[in-house]
Amino acid sequence: MNASEIAAEIGAQDPADAADQTRYALSKQIDAIQSSLDTGYGPLDLTDDEAGELRDTLRRLLERRLARLEPQR
């Protein structure tokens, strides 16, 4: 998936906006994930260990996304 496709899929204005949203998620949102996730079918309860693993996994995914969104220097 290229930067423009990522931006379109997450509803960002362009790849730069998508990169900003991703940096915000990495800096603020991931660490705020607790032991319950809201789903379309109700809350999904996690153990503290599972929530930590989920945060780690999301961090890796979003770091890879950010690498695709930021121009190579």
Side-chain angles (χ1 to χ4, degrees), residues 23-66:
R23 279 191 288 276
Y24 182 79
L26 285 164
S27 69
K28 300 284 185 188
Q29 293 175 306
I30 287 178
D31 289 333
I33 294 173
Q34 301 297 313
S35 58
S36 183
L37 294 176
D38 188 30
T39 74
Y41 295 99
L44 172 63
D45 295 320
L46 304 168
T47 67
D48 289 341
D49 287 343
E50 291 167 337
E53 288 181 40
L54 180 61
R55 286 189 297 270
D56 292 343
T57 299
L58 285 171
R59 188 171 288 106
R60 284 191 302 274
L61 287 170
L62 292 179
E63 286 169 349
R64 282 189 292 219
R65 177 203 287 177
L66 188 58

